[in-house]
Amino acid sequence: MDFELGGTKEIANGELVRSIGGGLILVRINDKEYQIKLLKSGSDYFEFILDDSFYTAKIIQSGSSEVRLSINGRTHTVKQHSKLTEILEKSLSLTAKIGGEKILVSQIPGRVVNVLAAVRAEVKKGDSIVVLESMKMQVAVKAHRDGIVKELRVKKGATVSRNDIIAVIE
Amino acid sequence: MDFELGGTKEIANGELVRSIGGGLILVRINDKEYQIKLLKSGSDYFEFILDDSFYTAKIIQSGSSEVRLSINGRTHTVKQHSKLTEILEKSLSLTAKIGGEKILVSQIPGRVVNVLAAVRAEVKKGDSIVVLESMKMQVAVKAHRDGIVKELRVKKGATVSRNDIIAVIE
Amino acid sequence: MAKKIQSLLVANRGEIALRVIRACGELGIKSIALYSDEDTRSIHVKRADKAYYLGPPSPSESYLNIDKIIEIATRVGADAIHPGYGFLSENENFPELCSKNGIIFIGPKKKAMEITGDKMKCKAVMKKADIPFVPGSDGIVNDMEEAVDIAAAAGYPVLLKSAFGGGGRGIRLANDEKQLRQEFEMAAAESKAAFGKAALYVEKYMQRIRHIEYQLVRDSHGQGRHLFERECSIQRRHQKLVEMSPSPVLDQETRNRIGEIAVRAAEAVDYLNAGTAEFLRDEQGNFYFIEINSRLQVEHPVTELVTGIDLVKLQISIAQGETIPFKQDDLGLRGCAIECRINAEDPFFGFTPSVGTVPSCNIPYGPGIRVDTYLYPGCSVSGYYDSLVAKLIAWGKDFEESRVRTKNALKEFTVEGINTTIPLFKTIMDEDNFIKGELSTDYLERFSILDRMNRDAVESSKQDLIPAVSAILLRSEFVKKNHLYQQSTSSKQRTGWQSKG
Amino acid sequence: MAKKIQSLLVANRGEIALRVIRACGELGIKSIALYSDEDTRSIHVKRADKAYYLGPPSPSESYLNIDKIIEIATRVGADAIHPGYGFLSENENFPELCSKNGIIFIGPKKKAMEITGDKMKCKAVMKKADIPFVPGSDGIVNDMEEAVDIAAAAGYPVLLKSAFGGGGRGIRLANDEKQLRQEFEMAAAESKAAFGKAALYVEKYMQRIRHIEYQLVRDSHGQGRHLFERECSIQRRHQKLVEMSPSPVLDQETRNRIGEIAVRAAEAVDYLNAGTAEFLRDEQGNFYFIEINSRLQVEHPVTELVTGIDLVKLQISIAQGETIPFKQDDLGLRGCAIECRINAEDPFFGFTPSVGTVPSCNIPYGPGIRVDTYLYPGCSVSGYYDSLVAKLIAWGKDFEESRVRTKNALKEFTVEGINTTIPLFKTIMDEDNFIKGELSTDYLERFSILDRMNRDAVESSKQDLIPAVSAILLRSEFVKKNHLYQQSTSSKQRTGWQSKG
């Protein structure tokens, strides 16, 4: 299996070799073998010593192709590539694109303090569609593409969560 | 129900009156009514505001007649008395006494570094039976009654936990 | 006023409420907290002796609800109110409303607040007291010719500012007289169109400025002291990020000289209690007074660590009518302290706010480390209020020691569930110009700190490649072996069950 | 010796290992931890750059296993070893074994350790350097007549001590000559029976003594400094419980005078690195030297907070051959610091050890508070090692401020799952004689502090009656309503599932 560490373009090939008893587990990463001393494990929590250093790993979210986890409190996203997932991903991302391209989502949670665009209006990529307020800051949600505003899913005063749909732009 | 707070000789009569909505619960303790604002609750964890003060309560251990719990980190044992539990307790304590009286248990965990009494020896209350070591300290487990050592359940070098049986003295 | 305070209501939330509650604990004063629906489980509610419900989450209905706060304070018999910072702390009606209800307000009087809160009034008073301002007009200029004269006296380049502007809006730069004339015409027209009159003023434009401020205290007997400076030049959009004391550019002579000016400024407005005189310093070393902040500042711990004075307890004693127990010469600066303001914002994504539950966190501790925070494992960070979640303050015998202690502590500081500005501070603590003390209010842009932060983040991520892959491999094995994954997920949801009142 | 240390192995565990690891972090030195089977998840393992397995839990097979430690240090290329306190820190063979293997030992040389570790040798050296001892014999007395002469010179009452005794055994009190003669006969007989010879010595008996010690540092260039005193009179069975600096009974003249003696004592044994000169002070204000502890003391943070000097970093720089960067006159005492040694012992049950998992804990923080601890939520406290789990140290501008800060912080400090000595310190911090500075090594017995602690505990428990009953009522309702109790208990066991390697 290949793993890509989000944001770094680092790719590693990794596999479990075997458990060698006494809580020791052998893995091979990029053709190098590592002995892992497993100290604590659960479905989403691991403590282990690797290369003579202690690590705490928490699995935050896990999908078929992507895992979000923290290593000693530092959060990472790791993409898993195998031939199968690659094929799956391609087809998924294709579908996602068709729907996804039109949909403008909010990257932050907040309250809508201003709606700047109207339905049927023409907008350019980067135009502010709505203004959200969170933590005394005002943040604009901007159009992700040129197009026509087909739908506006929020009203002034509404509360939106992260990833809520703000508008449909075609 | 009557409640006795361990170590204080304080006894309170308490009952739930009713839930009055909005997370508010009415209780009566020693003929005074209190409004409890329940903020978080689970089977063994509660956060609430009582008399305008915030409390965190954790149930550590719970039996039919005794509850160990912590209030804002301070641990307490509360005995519950009702007519029924009183009767139950009496009969239970009777049984317990018969067995319990003979049994000498360790109040602390540790390693046995010395066994001072022998089986069939006569001992007085307060005589050291074994010496345990824990945290670089040596602590003697002493006879709880006069009698004959019928059994010794530990050997030098053994590790004992809290409440493990050390000896039977009749 | 010379009344001993027995109980004190904290009209605030978050870390500053906790700070005041701790001071009350030290003084044997009963602390009274307030909370909105959003804050029922907040640390200030947990730690106060008493806590009263204030209202819905929205600030206007809770921590800004002045009538409700006064009503509670009166009902529960609070002797005094501490406003913290933000919220009602600089509301000039609050002190009066308090005293009308027989409550001691811990802060300045209405009159001083009125002056310090009004730029022009303040400037007029300070000019009289001979406090140096940024060269420019004393107020609104009458016409273009006056603007030209003033600009000539101040020296170009100058800024043309609209009295109705703010936050960077309505500011125009002029490099010479010709440009000034052009800009004046446009700015006047704009201003007239928007506000009906051309309220413009002229100010010398300065580059590479440092923001240096002085901690002030003044008692009801007219004794004023300064507790030295804080260098607060590292800012983002006029929000301070890093503060320290002493400033790397002040020598003892300058420190004393500007300190005396700061005390004089406090005197000029008959200031009471703790406040801050803010100055700009240009590259030539000139200091210009900007304003007095009539409250306890976020960054007050920096001063506490280098002077050894507990400012909140001092505030309370001054409010009780006591005299300041030290003379100016008794005070000394020992070592260096640096504060990082840790905000719940994503520094990799335009500093957008980040809210939610913090399932666990590790607050650093150890030699020289102080953290003022409302974070605890299981707490939640609300979007209704300020994004400041923690202040990390490190004391060291010199700048270098406080810097490396900050750096170490940032490594230990982990907050799960939300994004924070910790990565930005990690980058700053290792950045050459910061280390050299080469600071200015445009520090972030000037040295492309955010780019550097992004590069640092990639580099530090890379070091987690092997352990991250290992963890995923371990987990896949765990799931395979135990067939437990689905069960434990569902049970987790069950044990995480909670009702909220 | 004048080699820059790049990597440092910490031959210890617990809070002191973490303390040294933090110092390494500040200095950019790679920290190397060691762990026994009992410590795989301990904080020092988590925080060190590297961690190596040492052996089974038993100290003799792990942290006292000198050969194994040297073997690991050599194998991983550690430049230096810090021994912490306890374990191998005062093993006189350790420094030599280190230097034979090309490793810098952070501590004194073998020779100084040999002298300081041997009461009689040390006394002989110190006498030469004119260091004042408790009046009495210079060593073993030859016969009864010598004992009588020495007692007469020292003044009655005197103690007759067996050289083979220790820990209070074999000590006899004599109030006059007649009693001395009687006791000598018996003691000599006893000693002869047990050890084959009558090795007895005579010492003046003192009451109401205070234990006051001086922090020392001395570099490889022969420069010695003292970092003022620590008052450590509050003890239980010769174990220090509370330490503070400054001592409430020292004036500046005495402080300097005894400090000079302490420095001279260090010189007399050609001491290297950090150490402590311990003194007794009688009620008349006389100081008597007892011994030099040739290691970093548990209570070193107290000195760090009042002097601003990081002792561990200073130790490392001295070990690198650097000169001490300050003169005696550069040093100043600022404010006051108090340390409470929080042990995992049950103060209500004869201070019996308490071990186990700590499911959660709250480490206090805030103005003036420093905690050195290995506790974290989910950690475990082992019965194999020392019971010290945390040191709470509070700095204040004076004794009173550090006392109330300690008191506040003790309230915030909660540790679940084990018993600790926190309740004892809560009582002490509020006790009149402590507040007055009326301290002596029999403080606990003299003022019946444990009785008072028991009374305090009952009083504070009583205040929890209503909330405790409320909690039980809430829970009964919860169980009734949700029928969830059994399910959630079993699910908890499931999510708590873990394998341990």
Side-chain angles (χ1 to χ4, degrees):
Chain A
M1 187 92 85
D2 282 340
F3 299 89
E4 186 185 338
L5 191 62
T8 65
K9 289 173 187 150
E10 293 276 312
I11 295 180
N13 182 284
E15 56 173 334
L16 265 167
V17 180
R18 64 176 184 282
S19 171
I20 51 176
L24 293 177
I25 291 160
L26 212 59
V27 300
R28 186 181 294 120
I29 298 171
N30 285 344
D31 297 324
K32 199 179 151 189
E33 280 196 354
Y34 296 89
Q35 246 187 34
I36 294 176
K37 181 167 183 163
L38 189 60
L39 303 173
K40 200 170 158 68
S41 70
S43 62
D44 49 13
Y45 185 83
F46 298 88
E47 290 182 6
F48 54 89
I49 290 179
L50 165 73
D51 242 355
D52 305 313
S53 292
F54 187 100
Y55 293 98
T56 298
K58 274 190 198 178
I59 310 293
I60 298 164
Q61 217 167 25
S62 166
S64 62
S65 67
E66 212 178 83
V67 178
R68 265 172 67 77
L69 82 172
S70 75
I71 299 293
N72 291 349
R74 298 178 291 267
T75 305
H76 301 287
T77 303
V78 177
K79 285 186 186 147
Q80 305 183 57
H81 297 276
S82 69
K83 283 282 160 263
L84 185 66
T85 54
E86 239 170 74
I87 294 160
L88 269 171
E89 246 185 13
K90 265 183 194 164
S91 64
L92 274 170
S93 67
L94 221 62
T95 344
K97 253 181 198 162
I98 294 166
E101 234 183 16
K102 304 178 189 172
I103 289 165
L104 173 67
V105 297
S106 172
Q107 298 286 341
I108 63 154
R111 278 173 307 287
V112 179
V113 291
N114 216 345
V115 178
L116 301 168
V119 174
R120 281 188 299 276
E122 210 187 315
V123 293
K124 293 263 170 217
K125 185 178 169 179
D127 284 358
S128 294
I129 305 298
V130 302
V131 178
L132 299 179
E133 190 182 85
S134 187
M135 292 179 155
K136 304 200 299 187
M137 286 178 262
Q138 299 214 338
V139 182
V141 181
K142 293 172 179 177
H144 59 305
R145 53 172 288 178
D146 297 355
I148 305 287
V149 178
K150 288 279 170 192
E151 283 181 56
L152 270 172
R153 298 272 184 98
V154 295
K155 283 184 180 164
K156 191 168 166 175
T159 303
V160 298
S161 301
R162 195 173 173 152
N163 289 329
D164 275 3
I165 299 172
I166 299 292
V168 179
I169 302 174
E170 275 189 24
Chain B
M1 189 92 88
D2 283 340
F3 300 90
E4 187 184 338
L5 190 64
T8 64
K9 288 174 188 151
E10 292 277 310
I11 295 180
N13 182 283
E15 55 172 336
L16 265 167
V17 180
R18 64 176 184 282
S19 170
I20 51 175
L24 293 176
I25 291 161
L26 210 62
V27 302
R28 187 181 294 119
I29 299 171
N30 285 345
D31 297 325
K32 201 181 149 188
E33 281 194 354
Y34 295 89
Q35 246 186 34
I36 294 176
K37 182 168 183 163
L38 189 60
L39 303 173
K40 203 171 157 69
S41 71
S43 63
D44 49 12
Y45 185 81
F46 298 88
E47 291 182 6
F48 54 90
I49 290 180
L50 165 72
D51 243 355
D52 306 313
S53 292
F54 186 101
Y55 292 98
T56 298
K58 274 191 197 177
I59 310 293
I60 298 164
Q61 215 168 27
S62 166
S64 62
S65 67
E66 215 179 80
V67 177
R68 265 173 67 78
L69 81 172
S70 73
I71 299 293
N72 291 348
R74 299 178 291 267
T75 305
H76 301 287
T77 303
V78 177
K79 285 186 185 149
Q80 306 183 57
H81 298 276
S82 70
K83 284 282 159 265
L84 184 68
T85 54
E86 238 170 74
I87 293 160
L88 269 170
E89 243 186 13
K90 264 183 193 160
S91 64
L92 274 170
S93 69
L94 221 64
T95 345
K97 252 183 198 158
I98 294 167
E101 234 185 13
K102 304 176 188 172
I103 289 165
L104 173 66
V105 296
S106 171
Q107 298 288 338
I108 63 155
R111 279 174 306 289
V112 179
V113 292
N114 216 344
V115 178
L116 302 168
V119 174
R120 282 187 298 275
E122 206 186 318
V123 293
K124 293 263 170 219
K125 184 178 170 178
D127 284 357
S128 293
I129 305 298
V130 302
V131 178
L132 300 179
E133 190 182 85
S134 187
M135 292 181 155
K136 305 198 300 188
M137 287 179 263
Q138 299 214 338
V139 181
V141 181
K142 292 172 180 176
H144 59 305
R145 53 171 290 176
D146 298 355
I148 306 288
V149 177
K150 287 281 167 189
E151 284 181 56
L152 270 172
R153 298 273 184 96
V154 295
K155 283 185 180 165
K156 191 168 167 175
T159 303
V160 297
S161 302
R162 194 172 173 151
N163 290 330
D164 274 5
I165 298 173
I166 298 292
V168 178
I169 302 173
E170 277 190 18
Chain C
M1 276 293 282
K3 177 186 167 187
K4 193 93 184 156
I5 294 168
Q6 307 284 340
S7 63
L8 187 155
L9 183 141
V10 189
N12 216 305
R13 63 181 299 283
E15 68 84 19
I16 193 62
L18 181 60
R19 172 74 188 87
V20 177
I21 288 164
R22 284 199 172 114
C24 289
E26 290 184 34
L27 294 167
I29 292 173
K30 188 173 89 173
S31 56
I32 300 165
L34 300 174
Y35 60 94
S36 72
D37 284 319
E38 197 79 350
D39 278 337
T40 52
R41 300 182 57 235
S42 285
I43 195 101
H44 71 287
V45 178
K46 296 191 174 194
R47 294 268 186 259
D49 292 318
K50 294 281 170 185
Y52 296 92
Y53 174 67
L54 195 46
S58 150
S60 61
E61 295 182 86
S62 55
Y63 303 102
L64 286 173
N65 189 342
I66 193 163
D67 294 329
K68 187 74 194 282
I69 291 171
I70 293 282
E71 184 266 307
I72 293 173
T74 311
R75 174 161 53 86
V76 306
D79 292 334
I81 290 183
H82 195 299
Y85 53 72
F87 294 125
L88 294 171
S89 63
E90 288 176 282
N91 182 320
E92 63 203 34
N93 299 314
F94 202 20
E96 225 175 31
L97 215 52
C98 284
S99 69
K100 263 186 203 156
N101 286 277
I103 300 162
I104 297 173
F105 175 79
I106 298 176
K109 299 276 171 210
K110 180 182 184 161
K111 210 183 154 195
M113 272 196 183
E114 270 175 356
I115 300 170
T116 57
D118 182 312
K119 248 186 179 168
M120 290 304 151
K121 270 191 204 170
C122 186
K123 197 163 180 177
V125 173
M126 293 303 169
K127 281 260 164 179
K128 262 192 222 165
D130 219 13
I131 307 294
F133 271 81
V134 176
S137 59
D138 281 345
I140 293 164
V141 293
N142 293 314
D143 52 35
M144 192 189 291
E145 293 316 312
E146 194 187 339
V148 168
D149 290 350
I150 287 164
Y156 287 93
V158 296
L159 293 175
L160 203 56
K161 290 185 176 179
S162 164
F164 301 108
R169 282 176 302 129
I171 298 179
R172 287 155 180 275
L173 179 72
N175 286 307
D176 51 36
E177 191 185 318
K178 190 183 154 201
Q179 205 181 351
L180 177 68
R181 287 180 184 274
Q182 283 169 1
E183 297 288 347
F184 191 92
E185 215 151 309
M186 284 189 285
E190 245 183 51
S191 187
K192 261 183 201 156
F195 309 106
K197 59 176 182 174
L200 298 174
Y201 57 95
V202 177
E203 210 177 84
K204 188 174 169 63
Y205 173 65
M206 296 183 296
Q207 272 185 302
R208 299 284 132 86
I209 45 175
R210 287 170 183 261
H211 179 115
I212 294 176
E213 62 186 28
Y214 272 75
Q215 178 65 50
L216 297 169
V217 284
R218 199 155 174 275
D219 64 24
S220 53
H221 312 281
Q223 287 200 78
R225 309 277 182 265
H226 71 86
L227 277 75
F228 312 113
E229 80 281 7
R230 293 185 288 256
E231 160 105 41
C232 313
S233 299
I234 300 187
Q235 306 184 343
R236 181 183 167 272
R237 300 196 177 166
H238 305 286
Q239 299 290 313
K240 295 165 190 165
L241 292 176
V242 178
E243 299 104 344
M244 66 178 88
S245 184
S247 161
V249 290
L250 256 64
D251 55 33
Q252 195 55 42
E253 184 276 319
T254 312
R255 174 169 297 120
N256 295 341
R257 183 168 50 84
I258 307 300
E260 276 161 31
I261 292 172
V263 172
R264 217 162 64 223
E267 219 160 85
V269 294
D270 193 18
Y271 198 84
L272 178 66
N273 220 308
T276 298
E278 302 205 323
F279 294 89
L280 295 181
R281 178 192 178 273
D282 67 17
E283 279 192 298
Q284 287 71 46
N286 301 307
F287 278 77
Y288 306 104
F289 174 88
I290 330 171
E291 59 173 333
I292 287 185
N293 281 315
S294 57
R295 59 164 196 276
L296 185 70
Q297 301 267 86
V298 174
E299 59 270 27
H300 75 275
V302 155
T303 299
E304 295 188 320
L305 289 184
V306 291
T307 62
I309 307 282
D310 186 316
L311 283 165
V312 179
K313 288 196 290 184
L314 182 57
Q315 280 194 300
I316 295 172
S317 79
I318 289 175
Q320 285 179 164
E322 291 168 33
T323 54
I324 294 173
F326 48 82
K327 306 219 178 307
Q328 190 64 51
D329 289 344
D330 296 340
L331 292 171
L333 253 172
R334 181 186 242 190
C336 174
I338 300 174
E339 173 179 282
C340 296
R341 291 195 192 190
I342 295 171
N343 291 335
E345 297 170 12
D346 186 349
F348 299 106
F349 192 70
F351 291 83
T352 46
S354 178
V355 304
T357 300
V358 174
S360 80
C361 58
N362 186 62
I363 310 297
Y365 55 95
I369 301 302
R370 167 174 164 188
V371 180
D372 282 15
T373 184
Y374 70 84
L375 296 176
Y376 67 87
C379 76
S380 68
V381 173
S382 165
Y384 280 99
Y385 314 112
D386 197 90
S387 65
L388 181 81
V389 294
K391 304 185 309 203
L392 167 66
I393 315 112
W395 182 91
K397 66 176 189 294
D398 49 27
F399 170 78
E400 185 55 17
E401 189 170 63
S402 63
R403 181 185 74 84
V404 293
R405 284 181 170 171
T406 304
K407 191 180 141 177
N408 255 13
L410 286 166
K411 258 195 235 168
E412 285 189 19
F413 208 144
T414 57
V415 186
E416 285 180 22
I418 56 165
N419 296 109
T420 72
T421 49
I422 289 173
L424 173 61
F425 298 118
K426 283 184 178 168
T427 289
I428 292 174
M429 289 305 131
D430 259 343
E431 200 274 325
D432 286 345
N433 294 288
F434 175 74
I435 295 172
K436 282 187 287 182
E438 186 56 45
L439 307 177
S440 51
T441 52
D442 61 348
Y443 169 80
L444 287 197
E445 300 80 31
R446 191 174 158 204
F447 301 116
S448 308
I449 301 302
L450 297 187
D451 294 344
R452 205 187 136 114
M453 175 188 74
N454 279 297
R455 287 199 303 275
D456 287 353
V458 171
E459 280 318 302
S460 108
S461 281
K462 280 183 187 169
Q463 292 173 4
D464 282 342
L465 177 67
I466 306 294
V469 170
S470 299
I472 294 171
L473 293 173
L474 288 173
R475 181 164 176 276
S476 65
E477 184 66 7
F478 180 87
V479 171
K480 214 179 357 177
K481 259 198 186 159
N482 296 279
H483 311 290
L484 243 164
Y485 179 53
Q486 283 208 320
Q487 291 167 51
S488 88
T489 304
S490 64
S491 80
K492 226 175 62 185
Q493 281 163 351
R494 201 159 62 233
T495 52
W497 182 93
Q498 49 179 268
S499 78
K500 205 174 164 183
Chain D
M1 275 291 284
K3 176 185 168 188
K4 193 91 185 157
I5 295 168
Q6 307 284 339
S7 62
L8 187 155
L9 184 141
V10 188
N12 216 304
R13 64 179 299 282
E15 68 84 20
I16 192 62
L18 181 61
R19 173 72 189 85
V20 178
I21 289 165
R22 285 200 172 111
C24 289
E26 290 183 35
L27 294 167
I29 291 173
K30 187 173 90 173
S31 56
I32 300 165
L34 300 174
Y35 60 94
S36 72
D37 283 320
E38 197 79 350
D39 278 337
T40 52
R41 300 183 57 235
S42 285
I43 195 100
H44 71 287
V45 179
K46 296 190 174 194
R47 294 266 187 260
D49 292 318
K50 295 282 170 184
Y52 295 93
Y53 174 67
L54 195 47
S58 148
S60 61
E61 295 183 87
S62 54
Y63 303 102
L64 286 173
N65 189 343
I66 194 163
D67 294 329
K68 187 74 194 282
I69 290 171
I70 292 283
E71 184 266 307
I72 294 173
T74 311
R75 174 161 52 88
V76 305
D79 293 333
I81 289 183
H82 195 298
Y85 53 72
F87 294 126
L88 294 171
S89 62
E90 287 176 283
N91 182 320
E92 63 204 35
N93 299 316
F94 203 20
E96 226 175 31
L97 216 50
C98 283
S99 69
K100 263 186 204 157
N101 287 276
I103 299 162
I104 298 173
F105 176 80
I106 299 176
K109 299 274 170 211
K110 180 180 183 163
K111 209 182 154 196
M113 271 195 184
E114 271 176 356
I115 300 170
T116 58
D118 183 311
K119 249 187 178 165
M120 289 304 151
K121 269 192 203 169
C122 187
K123 198 164 179 173
V125 174
M126 292 303 166
K127 282 258 164 181
K128 261 192 221 166
D130 218 13
I131 307 294
F133 271 82
V134 175
S137 59
D138 281 343
I140 293 164
V141 292
N142 294 313
D143 53 35
M144 194 190 290
E145 294 316 312
E146 194 187 341
V148 168
D149 289 348
I150 287 164
Y156 286 94
V158 295
L159 293 175
L160 203 55
K161 289 185 176 179
S162 165
F164 302 109
R169 282 176 302 127
I171 297 181
R172 287 157 179 274
L173 179 72
N175 286 305
D176 51 37
E177 191 184 318
K178 190 180 155 203
Q179 205 182 351
L180 178 67
R181 286 179 184 276
Q182 283 169 2
E183 296 288 349
F184 191 94
E185 215 151 309
M186 284 191 285
E190 246 182 49
S191 187
K192 260 182 202 157
F195 309 106
K197 61 176 179 172
L200 298 174
Y201 57 96
V202 177
E203 206 177 87
K204 187 173 170 61
Y205 173 65
M206 295 183 296
Q207 270 184 304
R208 299 285 133 86
I209 45 174
R210 286 171 184 263
H211 179 114
I212 294 176
E213 61 185 30
Y214 272 74
Q215 177 65 51
L216 296 170
V217 285
R218 199 157 175 276
D219 64 26
S220 53
H221 312 282
Q223 287 199 79
R225 309 277 181 264
H226 71 86
L227 277 75
F228 312 111
E229 81 280 8
R230 291 185 290 256
E231 160 104 43
C232 314
S233 298
I234 299 186
Q235 305 183 343
R236 180 181 169 274
R237 300 192 177 169
H238 304 286
Q239 299 291 312
K240 295 164 191 167
L241 293 175
V242 178
E243 299 103 343
M244 66 179 90
S245 184
S247 161
V249 291
L250 255 65
D251 55 34
Q252 196 54 44
E253 184 277 318
T254 312
R255 174 168 298 122
N256 295 340
R257 182 167 51 83
I258 308 300
E260 277 160 31
I261 293 172
V263 172
R264 217 162 64 222
E267 218 159 87
V269 294
D270 193 19
Y271 197 82
L272 178 65
N273 220 309
T276 298
E278 302 206 322
F279 295 89
L280 295 182
R281 178 192 177 274
D282 67 16
E283 278 191 298
Q284 287 71 46
N286 301 307
F287 278 77
Y288 306 104
F289 175 88
I290 331 171
E291 58 173 334
I292 287 185
N293 280 315
S294 57
R295 60 165 194 276
L296 184 71
Q297 301 267 87
V298 174
E299 59 270 26
H300 75 275
V302 155
T303 298
E304 295 188 321
L305 289 184
V306 291
T307 62
I309 307 281
D310 186 315
L311 283 165
V312 179
K313 288 196 292 183
L314 182 58
Q315 280 193 299
I316 294 172
S317 79
I318 289 174
Q320 284 178 164
E322 291 169 33
T323 54
I324 295 173
F326 48 82
K327 307 219 176 308
Q328 190 64 49
D329 289 344
D330 297 339
L331 291 170
L333 254 172
R334 183 187 239 189
C336 174
I338 300 173
E339 173 178 282
C340 296
R341 292 195 193 190
I342 295 171
N343 291 336
E345 298 170 10
D346 186 348
F348 299 106
F349 192 71
F351 291 82
T352 45
S354 178
V355 303
T357 301
V358 175
S360 80
C361 58
N362 186 62
I363 311 296
Y365 55 95
I369 300 303
R370 167 174 166 187
V371 180
D372 282 15
T373 184
Y374 70 84
L375 296 175
Y376 67 88
C379 76
S380 68
V381 172
S382 166
Y384 279 100
Y385 313 111
D386 197 271
S387 65
L388 180 80
V389 293
K391 304 185 307 202
L392 167 65
I393 316 112
W395 182 90
K397 66 175 189 294
D398 49 27
F399 170 77
E400 184 56 15
E401 189 170 60
S402 64
R403 180 184 74 82
V404 293
R405 283 182 170 169
T406 304
K407 191 179 140 176
N408 256 13
L410 287 166
K411 259 194 233 168
E412 285 188 21
F413 208 143
T414 57
V415 186
E416 285 180 24
I418 57 165
N419 296 109
T420 72
T421 48
I422 289 174
L424 174 61
F425 297 119
K426 283 184 178 168
T427 289
I428 292 174
M429 289 305 131
D430 259 342
E431 201 273 324
D432 286 345
N433 294 288
F434 175 74
I435 295 173
K436 282 187 288 182
E438 185 58 44
L439 307 177
S440 51
T441 52
D442 60 349
Y443 168 80
L444 286 197
E445 300 80 31
R446 190 174 159 207
F447 302 115
S448 308
I449 301 301
L450 296 186
D451 293 345
R452 206 187 135 113
M453 174 189 72
N454 280 296
R455 287 197 304 274
D456 287 351
V458 171
E459 281 317 302
S460 108
S461 281
K462 280 183 186 171
Q463 291 173 6
D464 282 343
L465 177 68
I466 306 292
V469 170
S470 298
I472 294 170
L473 293 173
L474 287 174
R475 180 164 176 276
S476 65
E477 184 66 6
F478 181 87
V479 172
K480 217 182 344 177
K481 260 199 186 158
N482 297 278
H483 310 289
L484 244 165
Y485 179 52
Q486 285 206 322
Q487 291 168 49
S488 87
T489 304
S490 64
S491 80
K492 228 177 61 188
Q493 281 163 352
R494 201 157 63 232
T495 52
W497 183 93
Q498 49 180 268
S499 80
K500 205 174 164 181

